[in-house]
Amino acid sequence: MEFIGLGVVLLVPLVYLVLALGAIQGQLLGVESAARHAARTMSGASDEGDAAARADATVQSAIEEYGMDRGSVQVAIRCAPEGAGCPSAGATVVVTVTAKVALPLVPSVFGLDRMGTVPVQASTAYKVSRTWTGG
């Protein structure tokens, strides 16, 4: 009898841990994919407007594919060296995507759902070809 009681007491937190880590890993894969593909698509764009449109479409696609909350996803794009156009020949496109993962089974009572989140972030750098000529 004690074995069953102790088994349940140990099994419930273990199952919750597996569920929580699975949710976090899924969202982490989503932000990593969004950052990587956005940087790649931007490096092949014809101009800055096309690069921004491509990055936005890529991130939106990753949000849908991985089931991320659109409101919690933030994207930061910069190019190195500072002052270089994005994209431009020889520049490095750096895309950082951040999201918040809601832990499973956390109720929305007293704002617990806002506190029960884990931030995940991925950043990718992609070098634009030195021979880039605008597409």
Side-chain angles (χ1 to χ4, degrees):
M1 187 66 151
E2 295 88 18
F3 178 74
I4 293 173
L6 186 61
V8 169
V9 168
L10 293 177
L11 187 61
V12 170
L14 183 62
V15 168
Y16 183 79
L17 181 65
V18 169
L19 289 174
L21 290 177
I24 293 168
Q25 180 65 28
Q27 298 296 303
L28 187 59
L29 289 173
V31 295
E32 192 275 329
S33 174
R36 181 171 20 101
H37 292 300
R40 281 185 184 171
T41 58
M42 286 183 69
S43 68
S46 59
D47 59 14
E48 291 184 28
D50 184 33
R54 286 182 180 204
D56 186 49
T58 303
V59 170
Q60 293 304 321
S61 174
I63 288 172
E64 290 175 14
E65 184 175 343
Y66 289 93
M68 294 186 279
D69 177 24
R70 290 183 193 275
S72 73
V73 177
Q74 297 176 346
V75 180
I77 300 171
R78 66 179 177 85
C79 282
E82 294 295 324
C86 202
S88 62
T92 302
V93 178
V94 180
V95 178
T96 303
V97 179
T98 307
K100 290 184 179 178
V101 181
L103 295 175
L105 306 174
V106 176
S108 60
V109 178
F110 303 120
L112 291 175
D113 57 339
R114 288 190 310 272
M115 292 188 304
T117 60
V118 176
V120 291
Q121 180 177 353
S123 185
T124 299
Y126 199 85
K127 184 100 170 156
V128 179
S129 173
R130 291 182 307 168
T131 60
W132 180 84
T133 58

